[in-house]
Amino acid sequence: MKRVTLGNSDLSVSQACYGLMTFGQQNSEAEGHALLDYAVSRGVNFVDAAEVYPVPMRSETAGRTEEILGTWLKNKDRSSIVVATKVAGYNPGSYTPGNREEPRSLELADCRLDRASIRKACAASLRRLQTDYIDLYQIHWPDRYVPKFGVTQYRPEKEYPSIPIEETVAAMAELIKEGKIRHYGLSNETTFGVCEYVHAARRLGVPPPVSIQNSFSLVHRSFETELAEACAPSNYNIGLLPWSPMGGGMLSGKYNGGKRPEGARFSLFEQYQERFTTGAMAEATQIYTDYAESVGISPAQLALAWCKSRWYVTSTIFGATNLEQLKENLDAFEIDLSPEVLEGIDKIHLQKKDPAMLL
């Protein structure tokens, strides 16, 4: 599998990044290890986790994904795997701060991106991962108010006092200097936020973020406007790592016609990521499914190969809960879509623009 440089970092990563958010919920430790082994055998060297995973987020399972990755990592050549994980952003009255303690505390507290919280979160992730360093430490979502997870409208009345971005950047710089992380990245961020992080890093004379992990797919293409400009190699050189490139799995086509396959995400968790289960999404998914079949590939492969084709995408984060899904998804990264197919996708997009978005 082709490898590419992640943004302005020295990390060489596979174009496919295995997102592990089902490990510890839909996948057991043994299953997770077997899936990781297969992914590596196919050339994947990049994996993504978070301190709050698996999903849906629950206090009793939080951190389990990192633990499963950790028990797998301890028997591998650590230098051969690029490990990405995340520190949680603002969340009032959360179990997350207590989950960073040893032993674990059940006391609820506000989750923030201040220096002390970031350092404690990083230490907890390192313990669970059983490693001395994290290659890419990402800010899962901002400390300040932003519309996120599919919401598009900015509402000033929802603003609240937040931790200064400069404090967050300084904390990341400390962790880099101490060798606990190699680089840091952003997630669920806006153009304003990207600019603020880069400017804060310049003021402090420390490294800037190297990546941004945002929702991006055939049904959510907002990144390709002003965020793509800010993150372009000619500007801040911040690589995009798309999450949910298959629209929560909807773009696989398995939910078409209202189907709910046994063991699938939206069968198990009915109220989860509802922006992907609307009527508009169902219509768009069926159109993309039919189009994929007309060009001779699976709907999942169309979605992933399209993400790979974007100049601003460094590595696409995909999920898979079984070997069949994993094989199909990895095969997508061997597909180069023709200009004619890409033009057809754009025509569909203009008819069914960003159906996964909410107000």
Side-chain angles (χ1 to χ4, degrees), residues 154-261:
Y154 189 88
R155 299 180 182 274
E157 67 273 15
K158 292 188 176 183
E159 295 174 351
Y160 50 78
S162 59
I163 302 298
I165 285 176
E166 198 162 293
E167 179 175 347
T168 302
V169 171
M172 291 295 185
E174 281 185 6
L175 293 174
I176 291 173
K177 188 174 182 180
E178 295 168 6
K180 294 176 181 176
I181 68 174
R182 293 177 65 188
H183 301 278
Y184 70 98
L186 310 175
S187 184
N188 300 297
E189 222 1 310
T190 65
T191 305
F192 171 78
V194 167
C195 294
E196 288 295 295
Y197 270 94
V198 173
H199 293 163
R202 288 176 177 175
R203 287 193 300 270
L204 293 170
V206 301
V210 303
S211 64
I212 179 170
Q213 185 179 146
N214 274 25
S215 173
F216 181 73
S217 67
L218 291 171
V219 291
H220 181 189
R221 291 174 56 166
S222 63
F223 184 92
E224 65 187 358
T225 57
E226 73 277 358
L227 255 173
E229 178 190 14
C231 296
S234 55
N235 292 317
Y236 297 144
N237 195 14
I238 295 174
L240 173 62
L241 306 173
W243 64 261
S244 213
M246 290 196 291
M250 293 296 291
L251 287 168
S252 70
K254 65 185 176 184
Y255 297 106
N256 286 359
K259 296 174 185 173
R260 290 295 182 266

Side-chain angles (χ1 to χ4, degrees), residues 31-43:
E31 290 169 344
H33 288 187
L35 291 168
L36 281 164
D37 284 339
Y38 180 78
V40 169
S41 77
R42 290 287 302 271

Side-chain angles (χ1 to χ4, degrees), residues 65 68 93 96 103 105 108 119 127 153 179 187 196 198 210 215 218 232 237-238 250 282 301 305 307 331 337 339 356:
T65 298
I68 291 173
T96 302
S105 170
L108 300 180
R119 293 185 63 83
R127 285 197 305 270
Q153 291 187 348
S187 184
E196 288 295 295
V198 173
V210 303
S215 173
L218 291 171
N237 195 14
I238 295 174
M250 293 296 291
Q301 290 171 339
C307 282
D331 286 346
L337 299 178

Side-chain angles (χ1 to χ4, degrees), residues 287-298 302 341 348:
I287 293 172
Y288 281 118
T289 297
D290 294 341
Y291 186 64
E293 292 172 352
S294 76
V295 299
I297 58 178
S298 74
L302 181 77
V341 170
I348 296 172

Side-chain angles (χ1 to χ4, degrees), residues 27-57:
N27 290 107
S28 67
E29 181 176 52
E31 290 169 344
H33 288 187
L35 291 168
L36 281 164
D37 284 339
Y38 180 78
V40 169
S41 77
R42 290 287 302 271
V44 173
N45 77 328
F46 193 16
V47 293
D48 179 72
E51 68 168 331
V52 297
Y53 286 172
V55 295
M57 296 185 293

